[in-house]
Amino acid sequence: MKQLVNSRITPKNFKKHVRPDKPLSLSLLEAMESELNNIIETGDYDSGKAVALPGAELDYQQWLKLNAPHAASSAMGEHHKRAWDWASGLQQGIAPPALIECWFRGGGKSTTVELMSSWTAVRATRRFLLYVCATQDAANRHVSDIAGVMERCGIERAVNQYGFSKGWNASKLRTANGFNVLAFGLDTGARGVKLDHLRPDMIILDDIDELGDSVNRVEKKIETITATILPAKSTDCAIVFVQNRIHSNSVMSRVLSGELDMLQNRIQSPIVPAIEGLEYVPVEKENGRTSWKITAGRATWEHKNLEICQREIEDFGLISFLRECQHDVGVGGRFFPDFREYGQDGTPWHVVDYVETQPWWRYWASHDYGTGAPACFLLYASDERENVYVLGEWYEAGKVSSDQAQLVCEFLEKHKVATPADKNKRHGAWNTKLEAIAYDWANTFPPKNVEERIGEYPVECWWDKNLPAVRAVKDRKAGWARTKEWLAASEYVNSELKPKLRIVRGTCPNLIKQLSETMTHTKDADEIDNGTRNDHAIDSFRYGVMWREYPVKCPETTEGKLSKEFGIPTWYKKSKEDNWL
């Protein structure tokens, strides 16, 4: 008896196999045969594993000589061998430690991982590679390069039953043996990284960081990697992260330092510069221009020898070479590149463990006001040689001005530069050694026009305690420039070079951290990045440095009280001298 099928309720993929005059059993057999052929063509069999191709029995050096002679023309560096050895150990169903490689620009990073991808396709040790870059365009370029290698190797494309490619374009590759490649750009904001039913069992993070990355942009990249890409991986996923540092706040820099807690199960290889033990000196050329000459060092890869490195220094400059090829990110990304905790010989430089103050030294302070955000008070001293010392910081959020003033008094008492005027009235006036406190004056000082005054102003709590708060110089760029000048200043003492500025390590943690980590604005070299979240300590620091250059006294405390005349501060009082002309 013939079994008929209602085509109106027939599944879409099954319709092509049914006809009113065809038995249902025959239609089912044809559909099953078609599905099996499709699975065989795409390699989707053997529990979802890809199929090894001819050449899989070769080791990577033999395979490279056969399929990528351009890459095998120079001897491999130790960093290349380390990466290929890692790839050689990949096995289906086993998750290896993540490979973290920080190589110099021109060290063969992208070429290595692109060839490694094609070799993995031949060996079929992985099924689905996700290639991740900062932008979709960059990821597409890398995938296109992989496609070129695959075509040279003779890896065939996956096609459907009509002979059309299942996916072979700028962003996606699908091979006949069941290997798949997908490009992913961190700038796309995409949420899904699955390909059909497959989860990535190999992820390559390449060219993630860019020189122009702001703080917010770096945080967004980290969020995409940790919340979108890594959670989508398979249980046996192999992960590669290859990049040069570029700047101190880059994703690679933060992974290397351990600041980020991702990729904890890793092989963290040593950072690879272009030249180990690099030394160079300035050289004046015949045309009067100054260049830089390499005088010592060993190239880590013969393909990029000292001669080539010397030419690159002359072509794109010493600073760019140090950043891109030597990972010296203190010459570009950081806003305070001259700040360093230790000198070249490993001895303390700007940051010291202890400063022995003397009775004749000068003392002053600075204060960045904040209530919800942290307030930061810094204490300074200078010696007879005009060296400046930052002795300590008070850093706390959630305190109103009166509480801040009281806590600062107690802070100064610990540093033996303040005592209560009356020991029985600790919340009253205090005697201090401070010449002045450079105080953040945004809405904290009473206005000149008495009619504009409303209630008590934050600074008046400080004057009541006899704390000499004066208006800080608020010119940001002038303050940053003066701060950088002090960080760069040094002098010879007993034939030894010493910095003119020192900061006590144990008492100034926030100032040291912010000087180390603050990044330059991507469009304004004289300003900090607009995504900087914590700048309270460095703001207070520039107030203190600027007061050191332009010192003023506080009339409210030197005269002992606030002016009663019209209720305005004394420095707004007009001079009574009529003969000033």
Side-chain angles (χ1 to χ4, degrees):
M1 179 179 179
K2 185 181 295 184
Q3 292 176 301
L4 301 180
V5 177
N6 186 349
S7 61
R8 293 183 179 180
I9 60 174
T10 303
K12 182 178 180 180
N13 293 336
F14 187 51
K15 283 185 177 181
K16 59 186 178 183
H17 301 288
V18 300
R19 292 197 312 270
D21 59 341
K22 182 188 295 187
L24 176 60
S25 57
L26 181 59
S27 299
L28 289 171
L29 288 173
E30 289 179 353
M32 184 180 299
E33 181 183 18
S34 175
E35 184 65 19
L36 288 173
N37 289 335
N38 181 56
I39 291 173
I40 293 172
E41 288 175 359
T42 60
D44 189 10
Y45 57 91
D46 192 13
S47 302
K49 298 178 182 179
V51 182
L53 298 175
E57 70 282 358
L58 303 176
D59 62 33
Y60 66 81
Q61 293 181 335
Q62 295 171 330
W63 185 85
L64 287 172
K65 289 180 180 179
L66 181 63
N67 296 285
H70 64 286
S73 59
S74 298
M76 287 187 176
E78 292 301 320
H79 51 292
H80 299 123
K81 295 177 182 178
R82 185 170 56 241
W84 280 101
D85 288 340
W86 176 87
S88 300
L90 294 181
Q91 299 180 37
Q92 294 178 347
I94 299 177
L99 179 67
I100 312 295
E101 291 284 353
C102 184
W103 299 354
F104 55 92
R105 175 63 63 87
K109 299 185 298 296
S110 296
T111 300
T112 298
V113 292
E114 288 167 4
L115 291 171
M116 189 185 298
S117 302
S118 298
W119 191 52
T120 301
V122 171
R123 298 175 67 231
T125 53
R126 285 297 180 270
R127 179 77 191 278
F128 176 16
L129 165 63
L130 186 68
Y131 206 110
V132 185
C133 295
T135 65
Q136 187 65 46
D137 287 342
N140 290 348
R141 287 195 299 271
H142 288 298
V143 169
S144 296
D145 291 341
I146 293 173
V149 176
M150 287 183 171
E151 289 170 353
R152 290 196 302 270
C153 296
I155 299 177
E156 298 181 359
R157 309 178 185 187
V159 296
N160 59 22
Q161 61 182 342
Y162 303 109
F164 295 109
S165 171
K166 286 193 161 190
W168 197 273
N169 51 47
S171 62
K172 181 170 62 176
L173 306 175
R174 309 195 73 167
T175 69
N177 73 319
F179 189 76
N180 304 273
V181 184
L182 184 66
F184 186 96
L186 296 178
D187 61 338
T188 61
R191 287 289 300 171
V193 293
K194 289 178 63 178
L195 187 63
D196 294 339
H197 63 284
L198 300 175
R199 287 182 174 272
D201 55 5
M202 186 172 186
I203 297 175
I204 293 178
L205 305 173
D206 183 17
D207 288 339
I208 293 297
D209 295 310
E210 298 173 297
L211 184 59
D213 285 344
S214 65
V215 173
N216 287 339
R217 191 172 181 183
V218 172
E219 293 296 332
K220 179 63 177 177
K221 289 181 177 182
I222 294 171
E223 180 182 358
T224 303
I225 293 171
T226 57
T228 298
I229 296 173
L230 296 182
K233 68 181 180 64
S234 67
T235 56
D236 62 341
C237 186
I239 302 173
V240 182
F241 185 13
V242 59
Q243 175 82 54
N244 57 334
R245 291 183 65 192
I246 296 186
H247 56 81
S248 62
N249 192 50
S250 65
V251 179
M252 175 57 83
S253 293
R254 296 174 68 178
V255 168
L256 292 175
S257 68
E259 181 180 348
L260 296 180
D261 58 359
M262 69 180 196
L263 304 180
Q264 291 293 322
N265 182 23
R266 66 174 73 167
I267 298 174
Q268 183 167 312
S269 306
I271 297 175
V272 183
I275 303 175
E276 291 181 343
L278 172 64
E279 295 182 12
Y280 52 89
V281 295
V283 176
E284 185 174 352
K285 294 190 172 182
E286 295 179 357
N287 56 13
R289 296 178 180 176
T290 300
S291 181
W292 299 90
K293 181 180 179 181
I294 298 174
T295 58
R298 183 188 69 84
T300 55
W301 185 26
E302 68 175 32
H303 185 70
K304 190 167 183 174
N305 54 35
L306 294 183
E307 182 180 352
I308 293 176
C309 291
Q310 179 66 57
R311 188 163 60 246
E312 290 186 348
I313 291 176
E314 295 174 353
D315 288 343
F316 51 82
L318 177 66
I319 288 179
S320 294
F321 179 83
L322 293 177
R323 180 180 60 239
E324 298 290 342
C325 299
Q326 295 298 110
H327 310 288
D328 190 350
V329 296
V331 295
R334 291 173 52 203
F335 190 64
F336 301 106
D338 290 312
F339 173 76
R340 56 185 189 272
E341 294 190 37
Y342 299 95
Q344 294 182 350
D345 59 354
T347 58
W349 187 253
H350 284 123
V351 182
V352 296
D353 294 323
Y354 177 73
V355 173
E356 186 175 353
T357 59
Q358 301 298 331
W360 58 85
W361 286 11
R362 298 175 62 187
Y363 295 89
W364 73 98
S366 61
H367 186 66
D368 184 56
Y369 180 75
T371 52
C376 182
F377 181 90
L378 297 176
L379 174 63
Y380 310 84
S382 63
D383 60 18
E384 62 278 2
R385 300 177 64 91
E386 299 298 324
N387 295 311
V388 173
Y389 305 88
V390 187
L391 302 178
E393 70 177 34
W394 175 83
Y395 192 95
E396 194 168 344
K399 301 296 183 183
V400 297
S401 183
S402 57
D403 291 339
Q404 291 179 30
Q406 181 61 33
L407 292 169
V408 162
C409 287
E410 296 171 1
F411 166 82
L412 294 173
E413 185 180 28
K414 293 179 181 178
H415 286 271
K416 300 180 181 179
V417 292
T419 57
D422 184 342
K423 294 184 178 180
N424 296 321
K425 297 181 179 179
R426 293 185 59 83
H427 288 273
W430 286 63
N431 296 323
T432 76
K433 294 182 180 181
L434 300 180
E435 295 185 39
I437 301 173
Y439 195 99
D440 182 3
W441 53 268
N443 300 320
T444 57
F445 280 67
K448 178 178 180 179
N449 187 347
V450 67
E451 295 180 355
E452 297 178 357
R453 296 190 61 177
I454 303 175
E456 184 179 48
Y457 287 79
V459 73
E460 292 177 315
C461 300
W462 295 62
W463 290 336
D464 289 343
K465 290 186 174 296
N466 203 34
L467 294 172
V470 300
R471 288 174 177 260
V473 177
K474 294 278 285 183
D475 187 324
R476 290 179 62 87
K477 292 192 176 181
W480 296 137
R482 185 66 67 186
T483 301
K484 291 182 178 181
E485 289 176 6
W486 270 100
L487 289 170
S490 59
E491 65 175 355
Y492 279 96
V493 179
N494 297 327
S495 300
E496 290 187 24
L497 191 64
K498 299 291 184 182
K500 295 286 289 181
L501 174 71
R502 296 180 181 88
I503 304 170
V504 178
R505 185 185 309 278
T507 58
C508 302
N510 292 285
L511 177 60
I512 294 170
K513 180 178 176 64
Q514 291 175 26
L515 286 173
S516 301
E517 298 180 356
T518 301
M519 303 298 295
T520 305
H521 195 288
T522 55
K523 296 183 180 179
D524 188 349
D526 298 323
E527 187 55 87
I528 65 174
D529 187 272
N530 56 8
T532 303
R533 297 182 178 181
N534 295 308
D535 60 357
H536 314 290
I538 54 175
D539 276 341
S540 182
F541 189 46
R542 65 182 168 89
Y543 299 157
V545 170
M546 290 299 283
W547 184 91
R548 178 66 181 77
E549 298 300 313
Y550 307 101
V552 294
K553 296 289 186 180
C554 177
E556 277 57 44
T557 56
T558 55
E559 294 184 8
K561 61 180 180 179
L562 284 172
S563 169
K564 299 295 185 182
E565 183 180 1
F566 305 113
I568 62 176
T570 55
W571 67 79
Y572 286 124
K573 292 168 61 178
K574 295 182 179 179
S575 175
K576 296 180 180 179
E577 299 290 338
D578 295 327
N579 59 349
W580 57 275
L581 288 175

